């Protein structure tokens, strides 16, 4: 059977896949635009100046994106180019603005959607409990949209796939109906529009109507989704852009004057677009047009939510946000960012209402910031090329892109000047906050592997609308040439650096609280002490203990009985009771008695897995720098005869994880067991990323080869000391893979490192060790990393 490609084949498919956002803009930009210019007293003069200035901007920005599509063909678009030209700070600024923009896209589109519904059902403008019905409808539809998007891209594609085609058909019906009914009447361009006092209104109107540029970046991100060579891909993507932007420009130049002439701006209950549609189209088509408008605006909301999922996933892989925020649900999408967006949107609707004019200027401001950054990045690159070899042909694009950058930058400044006190100030607060949040998490989590940084860069830059009406993007690994442009290069294979250190197990500490759950640690503790000859300390601690109290007396009696049974087995043992928290008491004893290993169960008196609520085990890992062996608790009781025949050792190639190897060597020798070394490449095995499958496949193979070579060097070191060692490289989700391999191979112990996070770090960032403990039934030995030793 011939290979079936799910990539975009032509420009029309690309327009339908990514054109939903920019195609909907004519449905709502004329209302705020006309409201402003009618106050000028020279609306006819101002109207033409604003529209033609917007058309000029569309032309020069489209030409600018032709260059972006030629230079950047991996799907990163203007974001990738900005990072190349300006450095890493541009990534965080882009990500911060994009997060804000996705939320504002949802707000504007849902507000316009509710306006379209209210045009046909004016009762929605009435109130209940102090809120208009339209507000409640907007909140309800926002929740529905979030639910649909979080059920995966297939559900979104089936629900909203035809929406962009519908709005394109609607716009061309309006264009043809206008020509048939009124003839061709282009906006009049007058010099008076560009002199005081009209200039202020012309520029203000231009800024409002320029919201038609929203979503244009998506076509630069679609380049990687097309079939063909890089040149063919960029040409098809530019064709998609032309289909949408030419339709938008035609609607502005032909339908715009009809809206100006036929609509009644005093009618605040029906949008000017709906008024004009009712006069130009037969009744059935006008009502069908409203339905199409509602459908496509809801698809724009869904596209923004889907874009936020991609952004969160990409930022997670690049370690700019906690893993928990980018975690995938059962449908393999990041659900939490969508519910966060829906929550913000709902609060805004309840507080500020559901009229699109409230949010449109703020929405456009962020778009123009991103367009400005792209414009100056293109200009900088062209100037650099021009300085190397000057020619008139090379100078023309410089002038064009400089014009685009100046126009978009100017529009940005005007919006901020006009709307600063009406909400634009929020950008000056939110962008720095998000920027420093990204920086903080990147430092705390650490830089990702280059291959994951590359994939995250692609994923984070894919904007809304990508994929609607299309199957998830895949490509066959059939020899297609792969061009990696963002800087990913295979890491050189690293070899194991043997760590010796003073590793021993001479003293073991076990924590008990009198419960049967905590007591399930005793068989494992006895097994370890009998094998190694270690001295055992039994500890019971509670802030509730007081000298001479019944509680303390009962606990001392309990520990004495346990100590007698342990001593009878030939183990050196002592017991102590302390009036302190268990974690702090253990911390003190580790220092006082030079403890080498702590053994504790995952549950205690509360019967809950105590890592889930920042319990004892997580506190121990946070406080200590010695291994903590967590014994799983079973309702039927502990295994009668613990045994270490095979130990699974989780490594990731980092210097941090290498601190685990000396302990694995020690246990392998002490218990004469097999060591199974496992590495889990973070690169996905299948096309769950919005990047060409051939690229993912190549990066995956390189990562696997690098990890196999690394594990081979570790295994060679261990085998040289007579140990039995196996290696395995598999999976793509570390915690799940480690647990599954442990179960399949029948291991008796899992060894893993942890960064020792506590408090908010644990809540927000989580850890692979935490997930392994929660998912497995095997004992888990966790070694808190010693960063100084690893460096």
């Amino acid at each position: 059977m011939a290979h079936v490609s799910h990539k975009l084949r032509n420009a029309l498919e690309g327009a339908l896949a990514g054109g939903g956002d920019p195609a909907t803009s004519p449905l709502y930009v004329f209302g705020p635009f006309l409201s402003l210019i009618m106050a000028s007293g020279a609306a006819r003069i101002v109207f033409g100046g604003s529209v033609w200035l917007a058309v000029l901007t569309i032309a020069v920005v489209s030409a600018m994106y032709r260059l972006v599509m030629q230079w950047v063909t991996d799907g990163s678009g203007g974001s990738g180019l900005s990072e190349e030209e300006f450095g890493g700070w541009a990534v965080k600024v882009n990500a911060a603005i994009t997060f804000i923009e996705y939320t504002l896209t949802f707000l504007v589109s849902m507000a316009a959607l509710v306006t379209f519904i209210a045009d046909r059902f004016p009762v929605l403008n009435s109130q209940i409990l102090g809120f208009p019905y339209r507000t409640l409808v907007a909140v309800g539809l926002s929740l529905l949209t979030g639910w649909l998007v979080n059920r995966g891209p297939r559900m979104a594609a089936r629900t909203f796939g035809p929406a962009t085609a519908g709005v394109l058909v609607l716009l061309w019906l309006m264009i043809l109906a206008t020509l048939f009914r009124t003839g061709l009447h282009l906006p009049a361009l007058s010099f008076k529009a560009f002199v005081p006092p009209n200039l202020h209104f012309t520029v203000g109107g231009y800024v409002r109507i320029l919201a038609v540029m929203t979503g244009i970046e998506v076509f630069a991100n679609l380049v990687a989704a097309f079939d063909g060579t890089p040149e063919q891909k960029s040409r098809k993507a530019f064709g998609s852009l032309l289909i949408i932007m030419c339709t938008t420009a035609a609607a502005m130049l032909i339908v715009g004057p009809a809206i100006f002439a036929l609509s009644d701006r005093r009618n605040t209950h029906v949008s000017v677009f709906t008024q004009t549609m009712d006069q130009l189209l037969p009744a059935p088509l006008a009502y069908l047009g409203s339905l199409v408008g509602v459908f496509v605006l809801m698809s724009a909301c869904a596209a923004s939510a889907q874009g936020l999922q991609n952004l969160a996933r990409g930022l997670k892989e690049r370690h700019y946000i906690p893993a928990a925020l980018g975690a995938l649900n059962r449908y393999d999408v990041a659900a939490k960012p969508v519910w966060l967006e829906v929550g913000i949107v709902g609060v805004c609707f309840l507080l500020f209402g559901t009229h699109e004019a409230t949010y449109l200027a703020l929405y456009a401001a962020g778009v123009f910031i991103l367009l400005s950054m792209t414009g100056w990045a293109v200009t900088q690159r062209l100037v650099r090329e021009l300085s190397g070899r000057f020619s008139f042909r090379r100078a023309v694009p410089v002038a064009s892109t400089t014009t685009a950058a100046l126009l978009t930058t100017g529009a940005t400044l005007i919006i901020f000047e006009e709307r600063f006190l009406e909400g634009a100030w929020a950008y000056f607060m939110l962008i720095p906050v998000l920027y420093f949040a990204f920086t903080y998490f990147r430092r705390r989590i650490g830089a990702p592997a280059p291959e994951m940084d590359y994939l995250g860069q692609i994923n984070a830059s894919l904007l809304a609308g990508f994929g609607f009406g299309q199957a998830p993007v895949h490509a066959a690994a059939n020899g297609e040439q792969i061009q990696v442009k963002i800087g990913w290069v295979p890491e050189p294979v690293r070899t194991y650096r043997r760590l010796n250190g003073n590793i021993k197990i001479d003293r073991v500490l076990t924590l008990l609280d009198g419960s049967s759950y905590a007591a399930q640690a005793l068989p494992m503790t006895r097994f370890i002490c009998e094998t190694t000859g270690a001295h055992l300390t039994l500890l019971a601690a509670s802030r509730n203990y007081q000298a001479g109290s019944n509680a303390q007396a009962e606990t001392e009696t309990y520990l004495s009985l346990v100590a007698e049974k342990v001593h009878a087995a030939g183990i050196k043992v002592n017991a102590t009771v302390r009036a302190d928290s268990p974690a702090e008491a253990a911390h003190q004893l580790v220092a006082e008695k030079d403890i080498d290993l702590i053994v504790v169960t995952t549950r205690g008196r509360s019967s809950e897995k105590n890592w889930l609520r920042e319990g004892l085990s997580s506190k121990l890992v946070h406080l200590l720098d010695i291994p903590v062996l967590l014994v799983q608790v079973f309702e039927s009781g502990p295994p009668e005869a613990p045994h270490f025949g095979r130990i699974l050792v989780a490594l990731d190639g980092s210097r941090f994880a290498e601190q685990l190897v000396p302990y694995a060597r020690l246990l392998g020798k002490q218990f004469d067991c097999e060591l199974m070394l496992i590495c889990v490449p973070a690169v996905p095995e299948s096309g769950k990323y919005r990047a060409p499958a051939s690229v993912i496949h190549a990066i995956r193979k390189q990562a696997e080869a690098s990890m196999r070579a690394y594990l081979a060097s570790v295994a060679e070191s261990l085998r040289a000391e007579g140990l039995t060692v196996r290696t395995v490289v598999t999976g793509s989700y570390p915690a799940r893979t480690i647990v599954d391999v442990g179960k399949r191979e029948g291991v008796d112990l899992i060894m893993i490192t942890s960064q020792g996070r506590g408090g908010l770090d644990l809540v927000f960032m989580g850890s692979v060790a935490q997930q392994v403990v929660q998912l497995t039934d095997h004992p888990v030995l966790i070694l808190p990393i010693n960063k100084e030793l690893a460096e």
Side-chain angles (χ1 to χ4, degrees), residues 31-169:
F33 168 52
L34 293 180
S35 296
L36 174 74
I37 66 172
M38 293 306 294
S40 68
R44 291 189 179 277
I45 297 174
V46 171
F47 181 87
S50 297
V51 171
W52 282 110
L53 196 56
V55 171
L56 171 64
T57 304
I58 290 176
V60 295
V61 171
S62 297
M64 176 184 76
Y65 268 98
R66 181 68 184 106
L67 294 171
V68 175
M69 293 170 184
Q70 290 175 331
W71 293 335
V72 184
T73 60
D74 53 27
S76 63
S79 175
L81 182 64
S82 294
E83 182 174 9
E84 286 185 7
E85 295 298 326
F86 302 134
W89 67 267
V91 177
K92 290 178 276 191
V93 171
N94 265 289
I97 298 173
T98 303
F99 173 81
I100 299 169
E101 282 307 290
Y102 282 142
T103 304
L104 287 170
T105 298
F106 201 120
L107 279 165
V108 170
S109 300
M110 185 59 69
L113 180 157
V114 175
T115 296
F116 260 69
I117 298 176
D119 287 346
R120 301 304 182 189
F121 302 96
V123 68
L124 293 182
N125 294 309
S126 303
Q127 292 192 353
I128 180 174
L129 300 176
F131 294 103
Y133 284 104
R134 61 186 289 156
T135 298
L136 303 181
V137 170
V139 172
L141 289 177
S142 298
L143 291 170
L144 174 62
T145 304
W147 179 79
L148 286 170
V149 170
N150 280 337
R151 290 181 68 83
R154 191 178 298 275
M155 173 66 78
R158 289 173 178 172
T159 306
F160 303 111
T164 303
V167 78
L168 287 175
V169 170

Side-chain angles (χ1 to χ4, degrees), residues 344-362:
I344 294 172
V345 165
V347 170
C348 288
F349 284 150
L350 292 172
L351 294 179
F352 309 116
T354 57
H355 293 282
E356 58 270 27
T358 305
Y359 312 104
L360 190 57
L362 298 181

Side-chain angles (χ1 to χ4, degrees), residues 383-404:
V383 169
R384 188 169 62 249
E385 293 179 355
L386 185 65
S387 62
R389 188 176 61 182
F390 180 84
S391 70
F392 180 76
R393 184 179 179 182
R394 289 171 176 263
V396 171
V398 174
S400 176
T401 56
T402 302
T403 300

Side-chain angles (χ1 to χ4, degrees), residues 421-441:
L421 296 179
E422 297 177 29
W425 57 267
Y427 279 96
F428 293 95
M429 179 183 71
L430 292 175
I431 292 176
V433 168
L434 291 171
Y435 183 94
F436 287 113
F438 296 151
T439 303
Y440 169 79
F441 287 119

Side-chain angles (χ1 to χ4, degrees), residues 42 45-46 49 189-200 202:
I45 297 174
V46 171
L189 181 60
S190 172
F191 176 76
K192 294 180 180 179
F194 301 98
V195 296
N198 297 328
L199 177 61
H200 171 77
T202 300

Side-chain angles (χ1 to χ4, degrees), residues 528-569:
I528 291 174
C529 291
E530 287 173 350
T531 305
T532 64
H535 183 283
L536 175 61
T537 297
L538 305 175
L539 170 65
S542 172
R543 295 188 187 278
N544 297 326
Y545 293 158
Q546 296 180 1
S549 67
N550 290 334
Q552 180 163 339
E554 291 175 359
T555 301
E556 290 174 347
T557 301
Y558 168 73
L559 286 189
S560 296
L561 293 174
V562 172
E564 288 179 7
K565 292 180 181 179
V566 172
H567 183 70

Side-chain angles (χ1 to χ4, degrees), residues 19 177 301 417:
C301 295
E417 188 273 331

